[in-house]
Amino acid sequence: MMRLPRFSRLAGLALLVLLAATGAAPTPQGIGVMGQVTNGTFGGRVPSDLLVFLHVFSGVEETGTYETTVTADGSFRFDGLAIAEGESVVVRAVYQGVPYFSDLCTVEPGQHVRSLPIVIYETTEDLADVLITQMHVFVSEAGDRLQVGEHYLVGNAGDRTCVGGEDSSTGRRTTLTFTLPDGAGDLRFDGPGLGERFLGRAGGFVDTRPIPPGPAEVEIFFRYHLPSRDRLRVERVFDVPVESLVLVVPEDSVSLTGEDITSAGTLDMEMGTALSYTAGPLAAGEPLLFTVVARPQPSAVSKTDSVLSRNARAEIALGLIALAVAIVATYLLLRPPTSGGPF
C-alpha cells in the first residue's frame, strides 16, 4: 500500500481549499513510477512481501518518500504522485539486509510514467569474486609530512552480493580489510569514518559495506599522513586482486620509483602539472612497492611558497574525487536501510 508523507497530504488539502474558494478545479498530477524487481542470482527469487520505497529529491533535499509492496510477479507501481518537473526519483528495495537501487531519474515535461527496475541478489560471505577494478594513489608534500590519498572502485564478478563474515566484537559483517603503511597517521575518510561505515583494526581498518555484483559498485576514498624523508619506501598489500593502478604526484613535489612502477608521463590538471605512473595488475596478497623520492628545492624562501602552493593543489586534487560521486546516490547509500539488517 502506498503511503504519502504527512506534509504532502496537508499541502494537498490546503490546495483543494484554495481552489474551491476560487471556483477552479484541481489539476491532476498524473505522475506514475512502475518497475520490476528481479533476482540476479541463478535460482534466486523475489519475496512476495518485499517492500519497495520511492524517494523524491528536489536538488539535494529529499521532499517525499512513498512505499509499496511488490505483486506476485515482482512488479510494483506508484500512481498519482505529486512530483514536480525537474525533481529526481529513485527506487530502493532492501533484501537480506542489503539495499538495492534503481537508476536515478529526473521528471521531464510531459512525462507521466517512468519505468525504474531493480535487481536484487542472494548473499555470500566469500570474497572469491571481489576485485579492485581501479585504484588511484595521490602523493604530495604536506609541510614536514607526506599526504597520501587512496581512491578505490571495487567490483564483484559473481552473481551474489558479498556481505563478508561477522565481526565477533561488533556483530557487524565486514568485507574488505585495509592495512596502512608503517608510520601512517591522521587517517580521514570521505564520508562516514571509523565507528560508522568502517571499523578500526590494528594497523588499519575494515569496510562493512556489502559488494553487489558489477564492475565498480563500491567506492572507497581515504587519506593519511606519512613521515617525510628524502626516500620513503611504501608497501601496500590487498586481500583481493587489483586490476589497474594509477599513481599521481605534483610535478614539482616528489617523484616515484619502483621495480614494477611505470612512468606514464605528465597530466595537465586544474591544480597544475602532475606526474603519473601505472602498475598492476596484482594478485591477492601481491604487494605494491614504491619509493617516494623528494625533489630538491631551489632555496629556503621559494621552498616555503612552493610547499604552500603544493598543499593547496593537493587538497584540490583529492577533492575532485569526492565531487565525482552523485550527491543523491551518495546520500541514499550512506543512510541506514529502512527495514532492518546489519548494514
Side-chain angles (χ1 to χ4, degrees):
M1 177 179 179
M2 216 163 31
R3 184 180 64 201
L4 289 172
R6 183 172 181 270
F7 71 85
S8 296
R9 297 198 300 269
L10 293 177
L13 179 60
L15 178 62
L16 290 174
V17 172
L18 177 62
L19 292 174
T22 59
T27 302
Q29 295 295 330
I31 302 296
V33 174
M34 59 183 294
Q36 181 78 34
V37 179
T38 57
N39 194 315
T41 302
F42 181 76
R45 65 181 186 87
V46 177
S48 58
D49 59 349
L50 183 68
L51 292 176
V52 178
F53 303 88
L54 175 69
H55 301 271
V56 183
F57 291 88
S58 178
V60 298
E61 180 183 358
E62 184 171 11
T63 57
T65 304
Y66 306 84
E67 150 185 343
T68 191
T69 305
V70 298
T71 61
D73 64 355
S75 63
F76 61 88
R77 187 178 184 99
F78 299 90
D79 286 311
L81 305 178
I83 304 174
E85 294 176 0
E87 290 189 316
S88 299
V89 296
V90 66
V91 178
R92 174 174 63 95
V94 180
Y95 178 56
Q96 295 187 356
V98 181
Y100 298 95
F101 301 88
S102 71
D103 290 336
L104 183 68
C105 167
T106 299
V107 178
E108 300 174 354
Q111 189 177 45
H112 298 292
V113 178
R114 179 73 184 196
S115 178
L116 294 176
I118 302 179
V119 181
I120 62 175
Y121 299 92
E122 303 301 315
T123 60
T124 178
E125 297 183 3
D126 195 352
L127 288 169
D129 292 317
V130 174
L131 70 163
I132 297 170
T133 55
Q134 294 182 41
M135 174 185 176
H136 296 84
V137 180
F138 302 86
V139 182
S140 63
E141 289 183 325
D144 60 351
R145 299 181 295 175
L146 290 176
Q147 178 172 258
V148 181
E150 299 187 8
H151 174 247
Y152 297 82
L153 293 177
V154 182
N156 182 344
D159 69 347
R160 292 174 175 266
T161 295
C162 177
V163 296
E166 184 176 307
D167 178 69
S168 59
S169 60
T170 64
R172 300 176 66 181
R173 292 189 175 273
T174 63
T175 50
L176 295 181
T177 299
F178 293 86
T179 301
L180 299 178
D182 292 339
D186 193 22
L187 175 64
R188 291 177 290 165
F189 294 87
D190 176 42
L194 294 179
E196 298 173 286
R197 171 181 171 180
F198 302 96
L199 303 178
R201 291 292 181 269
F205 60 90
V206 292
D207 194 0
T208 64
R209 178 154 296 172
I211 307 170
E217 298 300 313
V218 172
E219 187 168 23
I220 303 167
F221 181 44
F222 59 90
R223 68 189 77 177
Y224 52 87
H225 286 114
L226 291 173
S228 182
R229 300 170 187 163
D230 290 340
R231 297 179 65 88
L232 179 65
R233 186 174 182 270
V234 179
E235 177 177 332
R236 308 295 290 113
V237 182
F238 313 97
D239 51 6
V240 297
V242 182
E243 283 191 337
S244 172
L245 296 102
V246 177
L247 302 94
V248 180
V249 299
E251 184 179 37
D252 60 350
S253 174
V254 297
S255 62
L256 303 181
T257 63
E259 183 177 346
D260 299 318
I261 303 295
T262 303
S263 175
T266 60
L267 299 173
D268 292 326
M269 306 179 72
E270 289 188 16
M271 78 291 189
T273 304
L275 302 177
S276 63
Y277 304 82
T278 59
L282 301 175
E286 182 180 357
L288 168 67
L289 300 170
F290 61 90
T291 300
V292 183
V293 181
R295 288 176 175 263
Q297 300 299 323
S299 67
V301 175
S302 61
K303 180 177 181 179
T304 301
D305 295 337
S306 179
V307 168
L308 291 175
S309 176
R310 287 196 302 272
N311 288 348
R313 294 202 305 265
E315 289 295 331
I316 294 173
L318 295 172
L320 290 176
I321 295 296
L323 291 176
V325 184
I327 296 176
V328 173
T330 300
Y331 167 75
L332 287 173
L333 288 172
L334 297 182
R335 65 185 294 174
T338 300
S339 56
F343 305 104

